[in-house]
């Protein structure tokens, strides 16, 4: 009897700890945890249904193979490969990494070594180091280990570019652009001309305050100017849809222009705070999203606001 009670208590306690763990940790990576959005017959976006999956992944099917843009958090490489098999029988032949952050590159280590890996030249250098972003709180238990160091450099970038790189031709063509530093100093924008889709990743992650990563060459005061170059180019190329780093849906060029003015307003408010002699903390806690930005996150994560304010203070002479 007593033993049964103890056993029962242990079971209840076990179930409780499982529940607590489930609340604290995102669900294990699985193909079932990925949602497929079809943009055209040969271009798809694979999104993690829950927080913890990582950035959006574009999947572009060409005659010779499949190109994957960004590979999400650790553990999501195999689920991505599994999910891609439900879309096409063509093998994955190329990964393009938009920038160095762990939620966009970590799945690389689960792809075969035969895959070509392409990034901006600064992103290749950043990925060798995998410095944590400046705008997120360090995880409990210390910074995540360098996933590429732990995998003998498996699927670090093999091919890089500086300003522009064209891969393939005709319907299979992909154009990579670098318009300058913003989220990091190696933000590649990936254009699929046949679909008129531009994968911008975390330079325009969602309708909210972007990370301005001081640890990886990002900028606050130059952010809007880089985005304006991209937006002017997108107008000339008649881009129809933008794949954002973390947004649930694609966005438009009009939404990109609105995002640029949101960033300009943020930077101006921060610089005004500095001019008025306010401390970084005072300026960070005073900032809130102006009401005219409908659909934007009302209160960005404080650690991100503070890190961005700190960078803009340092950049403003
Ligand atoms: Zn990022």
């Amino acid at each position: 009897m007593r033993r049964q009670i103890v056993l029962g208590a242990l079971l209840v306690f076990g179930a409780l700890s499982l529940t607590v763990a489930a609340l604290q940790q995102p669900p294990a990576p699985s193909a079932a945890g990925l949602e497929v959005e079809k943009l055209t017959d040969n271009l798809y976006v694979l999104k993690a249904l829950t927080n913890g999956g990582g950035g959006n992944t574009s999947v572009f099917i060409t005659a010779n193979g499949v190109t994957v843009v960004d590979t999400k958090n650790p553990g999501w490489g195999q689920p991505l490969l599994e999910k891609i098999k439900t879309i096409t029988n063509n093998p994955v032949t190329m990964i393009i990494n938009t920038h160095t952050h762990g939620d966009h590159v970590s799945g690389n280590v689960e792809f075969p070594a035969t895959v070509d890996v392409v990034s901006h030249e600064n992103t290749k250098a950043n990925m060798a180091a995998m410095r944590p972003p400046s705008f997120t709180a360090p995880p409990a238990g210390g910074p995540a280990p360098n996933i590429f160091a732990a995998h003998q450099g498996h699927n670090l970038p093999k091919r890089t570019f500086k300003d522009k790189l064209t891969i393939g031709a005709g319907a299979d063509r992909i154009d990579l652009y670098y318009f300058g530093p913003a989220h990091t100093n190696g933000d590649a924008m990936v254009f699929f001309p046949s679909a008129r889709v531009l994968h911008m990743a975390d330079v325009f992650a969602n309708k909210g305050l972007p990370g301005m990563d001081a640890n990886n060459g990002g900028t606050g005061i130059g952010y809007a100017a880089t985005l304006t170059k991209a937006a002017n180019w997108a107008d000339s190329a008649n881009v129809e849809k933008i794949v954002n780093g973390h947004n649930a849906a694609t966005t438009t060029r009009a939404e990109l222009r609105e995002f640029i003015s949101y960033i300009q307003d943020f930077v101006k408010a921060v610089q005004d705070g500095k001019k008025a002699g306010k401390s970084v903390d005072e300026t960070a806690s005073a900032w809130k999203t102006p009401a005219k930005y409908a659909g934007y996150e009302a209160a960005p994560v404080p650690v991100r606001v503070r890190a961005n304010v700190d960078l803009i203070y340092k950049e403003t002479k």
Side-chain angles (χ1 to χ4, degrees):
M1 188 65 194
R2 171 176 280 250
R3 221 177 125 184
Q4 275 172 352
I5 291 169
V6 171
L7 194 62
L10 276 175
L11 282 173
V12 170
F13 180 73
L16 275 177
S17 0
L18 275 178
T19 311
V20 171
L23 285 174
Q24 286 169 342
Q25 283 175 5
S30 73
L34 293 168
E35 181 184 54
V36 178
E37 183 184 351
K38 182 177 181 177
L39 300 186
T40 70
D41 280 345
N42 63 339
L43 181 59
Y44 298 78
V45 182
L46 270 55
K47 293 170 279 191
L49 289 166
T50 53
N51 282 335
N56 289 329
T57 298
S58 284
V59 172
F60 186 54
I61 301 160
T62 73
N64 296 322
V66 179
T67 293
V68 173
V69 181
D70 285 350
T71 58
K72 304 193 190 292
N73 268 319
W76 286 88
Q78 278 303 327
L80 277 171
L81 287 164
E82 241 179 83
K83 200 74 176 186
I84 290 166
K85 280 199 190 126
T86 68
I87 306 171
T88 174
N89 291 322
N90 292 7
V92 173
T93 50
M94 192 187 308
I95 293 170
I96 297 170
N97 289 127
T98 58
H99 66 294
T100 189
H101 292 147
D103 57 334
H104 293 258
V105 304
S106 296
N108 281 26
V109 300
E110 298 163 47
F111 282 66
T114 48
V115 168
D116 196 8
V117 185
V118 184
S119 78
H120 186 266
E121 60 183 18
N122 292 339
T123 287
K124 179 181 181 176
N126 291 339
M127 285 170 69
M130 289 301 281
R131 289 176 295 272
S134 63
F135 54 86
T136 52
N146 178 333
I147 191 161
F148 293 104
H151 289 82
Q152 295 77 45
H154 182 79
N155 280 338
L156 276 168
K158 299 161 186 171
R159 193 156 34 136
T160 63
F161 75 103
K162 195 179 173 70
D163 299 313
K164 191 191 167 189
L165 175 67
T166 290
I167 300 166
D172 290 350
R173 174 171 160 171
I174 302 170
D175 291 330
L176 302 184
Y177 286 91
Y178 176 71
F179 293 105
H183 182 60
T184 71
N185 64 356
D187 305 318
M189 300 196 196
V190 186
F191 183 49
F192 304 98
S194 56
R196 292 228 175 92
V197 168
L198 180 66
H199 187 129
M200 292 188 75
D202 282 3
V203 185
F204 183 13
N206 54 20
K207 294 189 179 186
L209 189 66
M212 298 164 171
D213 188 357
N215 293 347
N216 288 287
T219 175
I221 64 171
Y223 204 112
T226 295
L227 272 181
T228 301
K229 279 187 211 160
N232 291 343
W233 169 83
D235 284 346
S236 70
N238 200 15
V239 168
E240 273 175 15
K241 276 182 188 164
I242 294 164
V243 176
N244 310 89
H246 293 268
N247 217 35
T250 58
T251 53
T252 63
R253 281 184 280 138
E255 287 170 300
L256 171 58
R257 293 287 178 183
E258 179 191 45
F259 179 65
I260 293 171
S261 74
Y262 165 87
I263 291 169
Q264 287 166 336
D265 284 351
F266 172 73
V267 171
K268 185 176 185 309
V270 173
Q271 291 182 319
D272 286 350
K274 184 176 183 181
K275 258 184 241 156
K278 288 185 186 151
S279 71
V280 167
D281 284 314
E282 282 168 339
T283 296
S285 57
W287 190 79
K288 49 183 193 299
T289 303
K292 66 177 169 176
Y293 296 106
Y296 273 66
E297 59 178 351
V301 185
V303 67
R304 173 175 298 208
V305 181
R306 197 197 181 282
N308 287 353
V309 170
D310 186 55
L311 175 62
I312 292 165
Y313 266 48
K314 285 175 181 148
E315 289 180 320
T316 303
K317 302 296 166 205

